[in-house]
Amino acid sequence: MNRLQKAAVLTQLAEALRSRGSWCGETHLQKAVYFLQCFLGVPLGVEYLLYKHGPYSFDLTEMLTSLRADYLLEKQFKAGGYGPSLSPTQASAELRQRHPHTLAKYGKQIEFIAQSLGSKGVTDLEKLATAFYVTRELGKEAPLGLRAERLNQLKPHISIDMASQAIEELDHLMIQASDYVMATEKA
Amino acid sequence: MHKHLHEIRDPIHVFVRLDSDERKVLDSHPFQRLRHIHQLALTSLIYPAATHKRFEHSLGVMELAGRVFDVVTHPDNLTDAIRRSFPEIAQQQQLEYWRRAVRMASLCHDMGHLPFSHAAEKELLPEGWDHEKLTRQIVHSSEMCAIWRTITPPLRPEDVEKLAVGPRKARDLQFSPWEAILSEIIVGDAFGVDRMDYLLRDSHHLGVAYGRFDHFRLIDTLRILPSSNEEGAPPALGVEEGGLKSAEALLLGRYYMYSQVYFHPVRRIYDIHLMDFLKAWLPGGKFPTSVEEHLMRTDNEVNAAILQATLDDTQKGHDPARRITRHEHFKLLYQRSPEDVRINPEAGLAVHEACKRKFGLENVRRDHYSQPREATRFPVLLRDDKVASSEDVSDVLRSLPLVSIDFIPINPSLLKDAKGWLMKERTDIITPSQVETA
């Protein structure tokens, strides 16, 4: 994908997350893109590493900042310490209209991620994304207990119980993802 | 008596003090080379006094890093949660080790800079290389490792490397939360002392006031804080409420320095001519990446080559060399505007393509840059001991604009015609991008 195609995908994802009730701050987008790229294979070309809040991409931060500089995303604030929300602009809607094929190709993946993650807050997203990071590291066949231990080792504030729940939720999400993609392909 | 503490006069910090181990780094070849690397490349062609070097900047960064380390690890400045997160702080020997590592990493952080610093680094190094990668290589070189080994206890070069470049430029290395905080002291986007020193130092030498701020107050109020009030929130470098205005001044200063000085169109155009010269002059158009060859290259050799190429029109790089030395630089034809970018996010590219077709590839350049990250979000310790996000308590930080440029410079002999042409053609050139086809 070229820069404008990636911009169309990212602003569409922000739109879809917001329509599912997400506050859509940078952390929400970081985790959503992690799943979109590494889980569903949408090639946004950003590199992830394990950082303070779980999987994080410096490349994506740069991409989102450049979308703001190009007036395709804008920050919105609300009281209560939620941090800024990233909202797609009218210019981004026009850009998306000019990329129908890209959005048709990745639309179902974007919808699935928005549907699955849109209602989650940053704490839950951090747990789930780190569960996915650990699963990629150890392999999805690795026992749940082992993956939960590893998650707890990487993020000690996430207890083993909480880590096990996150891994279970991730495994469920992986099954749902393949069912969803198969169903929409048939349709 | 043998002297264990050395003082160096400095126009910004009055004295920079260093001990005999740090003096060994100061005397090393990689550090002494920085005496010959201009901090601001060819900026002195526009601001004549901007002739300062990476050498004094690196000393300044070490001085500030030591001060910040002492403030943020002082027992009176720690919350219980932070004390629990970082047991290193309670152990005197470990604390001393890391203080030394932070100061040494500060000294080393710019050792990988190419001649004339940042100018066109991407174009002039092989794929996958940048000055941070060269810095990492130098920290592990035999000369530097010999120094790390003589220190008691010996410094681990991988610790120096991590703190000097930070997680963004050492993605292959895992950073503990403690290491992440220490690297933030040096290269952090908000309060990294690298930025603090260059803003103050550049302002001083350029003769501008944009980059000045109350760094004494800011440093005194820096704290390691949880990034939010949520359970398990990771620690980050933040500020006490009383230092928020100084933090705003730092970030405003940075904004003005970028928009007024670092992205001055003529300054940027000289960078392009320098890059054109180096591409023609260097074997294969690239700088070498071995430590030995890197250390042999400074601004001095490049300057001599530019002067020589200016005088001899048969030499490679004669044209860009002449443009630099005779001030015959390209002139600004077009720069992006919000209106143009709202029509087409790649308006600058569209103008560049049209100009190349009309005036020829050799007569037109494009210079575009978008601020990659912003630093307006950090924790603030309020007077009631709660932590807030800076953007929730500062209207200034919420509305700080991003810096983004897209310049099209053109051969000065064509400027008048090109301006007339662009005025006529502009609305046909800057149109919405094409609807994609399957």
Side-chain angles (χ1 to χ4, degrees), chain A residues 93-125:
Chain A
E94 287 159 19
L95 176 80
R96 276 177 273 143
Q97 278 174 6
R98 294 194 295 278
H99 291 86
H101 299 292
T102 302
L103 293 180
K105 192 171 175 186
Y106 301 119
K108 57 182 180 297
Q109 290 92 326
I110 291 170
E111 269 310 303
F112 178 78
I113 292 297
Q115 190 183 305
S116 310
L117 307 182
S119 61
K120 292 189 184 302
V122 288
T123 312
D124 287 339
L125 286 171

Side-chain angles (χ1 to χ4, degrees), chain B residues 43 45-47 206 208 210 256-271 329 332 335 367 403 405 407:
Chain B
T43 302
L45 293 174
I46 300 139
Y47 298 86
L206 291 155
V208 302
Y210 302 119
Y256 286 120
M257 282 295 275
Y258 272 86
S259 51
Q260 296 297 302
V261 176
Y262 303 137
F263 291 133
H264 185 297
V266 179
R267 203 198 81 80
R268 298 281 297 185
I269 288 164
Y270 275 124
D271 279 351
H329 57 82
L332 186 63
Q335 62 180 319
D367 179 16
V403 178
I405 58 155
F407 293 149

Side-chain angles (χ1 to χ4, degrees), chain B residues 93-152:
Chain B
Q93 280 188 341
Q94 280 217 45
L95 198 63
E96 279 168 19
Y97 173 87
W98 284 110
R99 184 179 194 276
R100 179 170 293 285
V102 164
R103 284 175 56 94
M104 291 296 198
S106 305
L107 279 179
C108 295
H109 84 284
D110 269 354
M111 283 178 171
H113 267 295
L114 297 176
F116 292 103
S117 300
H118 285 286
E121 185 176 281
K122 251 189 197 164
E123 303 271 345
L124 298 168
L125 282 169
E127 179 80 29
W129 282 85
D130 54 24
H131 80 265
E132 289 91 351
K133 192 169 175 181
L134 286 162
T135 295
R136 293 175 66 182
Q137 201 175 234
I138 294 167
V139 167
H140 283 275
S141 67
S142 53
E143 180 174 0
M144 299 312 294
C145 282
I147 297 174
W148 311 138
R149 275 195 300 272
T150 61
I151 296 168
T152 312

Side-chain angles (χ1 to χ4, degrees), chain A residues 56-75:
Chain A
Y56 172 80
S57 170
F58 286 101
D59 302 331
L60 181 64
T61 296
E62 294 186 8
M63 228 182 246
L64 295 174
T65 312
S66 102
L67 294 185
R68 282 184 46 225
D70 288 347
Y71 308 100
L72 296 169
L73 284 177
E74 63 189 9
K75 272 186 181 181

Side-chain angles (χ1 to χ4, degrees), chain A residues 52 68-69 75 101-102 123, chain B residues 184 230 336 374 391 436:
Chain A
K52 291 179 181 178
R68 282 184 46 225
K75 272 186 181 181
H101 299 292
T102 302
T123 312
Chain B
E184 237 180 276
E230 280 176 31
R336 71 178 238 159
E374 59 182 353
E391 287 179 332
E436 66 178 1

Side-chain angles (χ1 to χ4, degrees), chain B residues 262-333:
Chain B
Y262 303 137
F263 291 133
H264 185 297
V266 179
R267 203 198 81 80
R268 298 281 297 185
I269 288 164
Y270 275 124
D271 279 351
I272 293 174
H273 291 318
L274 177 62
M275 178 188 73
D276 288 346
F277 172 78
L278 288 167
K279 276 175 150 179
W281 177 68
L282 288 165
K286 305 274 182 198
F287 279 106
T289 55
S290 77
V291 171
E292 296 72 23
E293 287 175 293
H294 169 75
L295 295 180
M296 284 164 62
R297 306 269 185 179
T298 71
D299 294 5
N300 299 346
E301 293 75 34
V302 177
N303 264 330
I306 289 173
L307 291 174
Q308 212 172 12
T310 303
L311 300 172
D312 181 353
D313 63 7
T314 65
Q315 288 219 11
K316 285 180 184 171
H318 167 75
D319 182 68
R322 184 178 47 82
R323 292 195 182 282
I324 292 167
T325 56
R326 303 271 194 261
H327 290 200
E328 292 170 10
H329 57 82
F330 278 26
K331 299 222 163 136
L332 186 63
L333 170 66

